[in-house]
Amino acid sequence: MTEIKYYAAPLEGVTTYLWRRIHHEIFGGADKYFTPFVSPNANCRFQTKELDELDHNEGLPVVPQILTNSAEYFLWAAREMYDRGYREINFNLGCPSGTVVAKRKGSGALADPEALDAMLEEIFTGLPKGMALSIKTRIGKKSMEEWPRLLEIYNRYPLAELIVHPRLQTEFYRGHAHREILSDTLRDTKHPFCYNGDVFAPETAAEVLAEYPSIDSLMVGRGLITDPALLRRLHGGAPAAREELRTYHDRLYEAYCVRLSGDLNAIYRMREVWNYLSGNFRDTEAFLKKVRKAKTRTDYLSAVDHLFAEGEMNPCPLPPAGK
Ligand SMILES: Cc1cc2nc3c(=O)[nH]c(=O)nc-3n(C[C@H](O)[C@H](O)[C@H](O)COP(=O)(O)O)c2cc1C
């Protein structure tokens, strides 16, 4: 049995290039970091925010992700990534957001398997030689019955790996990941298989891997933003210490202050991070209220200082329900 690999999932607005470097330096551990999606269009030009994601990853194992409904735009982006030295990219067929799905992108593409098949055919025909492509997918749009046909389509192409988040588009992040599809999926897939969904603690990872030993890799998203030491814990290492979390927070906040103009933009970013990171402490309602109200650096840091000085730590950090 080959050793299991652990990946950091992409979270738009959270797992930025700044986050990746800081996370890697403090907590290490991800065999691959996937970028939040870049969304190529007819302009054939990446936005500044997208270029940041592609151009600041020296020394890190980063896989850029593409979200589109067009093989032509996909191939343009793939060539740009090839020219920047990337040899593996990822196709987002999982995003459940209403605006994305309405354009038949992300998990919206799953609603029309024949069109998806045609798009993949064109993409694999035109992909630069030597460029590996993985897919990150949900298991359908509205019904679990869609999954066998989608898997059949994925089996027709030489994917580097198949990353599956077993929820339907319509479920967003509600309920539980449908782990029950894994037995049939692992039997039928022709690709290296990565499981992604609701792994928030080493015990859950151990449970999934014991039940489905042919899984090749595990991807963690919300669990890793809640507990940045999660990958280290999955390798048998120590949980995050309070001082470590403080250093992680300060470096991230200061990096956003430098990159984004004005106090408020950095605070907005940190609000999203705190939605998850607050899971490391007990009784954080008052703290989160203060962070949501903070408009200045002074107010923001005073709330954070208080939490780190007085907050009781939670030994089993969990992300907020339904987020
Ligand atoms: C705020 C947020 C942003 C996300 N952005 C992306 C994205 O850009 N690309 C992507 O493939 N998935 C994205 N996802 C989905 C995650 O990568 C992951 O598949 C999902 O959270 C399930 O894994 P988890 O249970 O470990 O969190 C996002 C999820 C959240 C909550």
Side-chain angles (χ1 to χ4, degrees), residues 43 52 78 105 119 171 174 209 219 231 248 257 281 296:
N43 293 340
D52 276 345
K105 297 180 187 177
M119 178 163 60
E171 293 175 314
R174 287 190 294 268
L209 296 175
M219 173 183 269
L231 292 173
Y248 169 74
C257 286
F281 296 90
T296 63

Side-chain angles (χ1 to χ4, degrees), residues 49-166:
K49 181 178 105 170
E50 296 177 333
L51 285 173
D52 276 345
E53 292 303 320
L54 298 178
D55 289 343
H56 301 288
N57 297 317
E58 304 79 23
L60 298 185
V62 171
V63 179
Q65 185 187 66
I66 300 172
L67 175 85
T68 182
N69 56 13
S70 148
E72 185 191 338
Y73 302 160
F74 188 101
L75 289 172
W76 172 80
R79 274 179 226 113
E80 288 286 317
M81 289 166 178
Y82 188 89
D83 290 345
R84 286 175 161 76
Y86 292 102
R87 292 297 176 268
E88 182 178 340
I89 54 177
N90 178 261
F91 193 7
N92 179 331
L93 293 171
C95 182
S97 133
T99 46
V100 165
V101 168
K103 294 181 205 146
R104 302 228 156 200
K105 297 180 187 177
S107 56
L110 307 179
D112 186 348
E114 308 324 309
L116 175 64
D117 194 10
M119 178 163 60
L120 290 175
E121 179 77 45
E122 206 180 326
I123 287 173
F124 275 96
T125 307
L127 208 58
K129 227 174 146 47
M131 183 63 115
L133 171 57
S134 62
I135 280 179
K136 181 167 180 285
T137 185
R138 288 197 174 220
I139 54 172
K141 185 152 188 297
K142 290 189 182 132
S143 155
M144 310 268 286
E145 284 164 26
E146 297 164 38
W147 179 233
R149 174 70 186 127
L150 292 167
L151 189 56
E152 216 173 84
I153 291 171
Y154 296 147
N155 274 341
R156 296 189 53 225
Y157 300 95
L159 305 189
E161 53 191 334
L162 180 64
I163 304 168
V164 177
H165 176 55

Side-chain angles (χ1 to χ4, degrees), residues 9-12 14 35-37 65 90 92 95 136 165 167 173 196-200 219-223 272 276 323:
L11 269 76
E12 228 278 302
V14 183
T35 72
F37 62 78
Q65 185 187 66
N90 178 261
N92 179 331
C95 182
K136 181 167 180 285
H165 176 55
R167 276 191 173 88
Y173 294 97
N196 166 232
D198 301 356
V199 172
F200 304 136
M219 173 183 269
V220 288
R222 292 165 297 165
E272 183 66 12
Y276 298 92
K323 272 289 244 178

Side-chain angles (χ1 to χ4, degrees), residues 248-294:
Y248 169 74
H249 166 274
D250 290 357
R251 286 193 55 191
L252 199 55
Y253 173 59
E254 295 306 338
Y256 283 133
C257 286
V258 171
R259 182 65 189 87
L260 309 168
S261 55
D263 281 9
L264 212 48
N265 286 325
I267 294 172
Y268 283 147
R269 282 302 169 115
M270 296 311 292
R271 276 185 201 166
E272 183 66 12
V273 173
W274 275 117
N275 281 336
Y276 298 92
L277 195 63
S278 59
N280 288 278
F281 296 90
R282 294 190 199 275
D283 304 325
T284 51
E285 262 163 55
F287 163 75
L288 287 172
K289 217 166 162 182
K290 276 194 216 151
V291 165
R292 283 188 203 116
K293 272 175 72 180

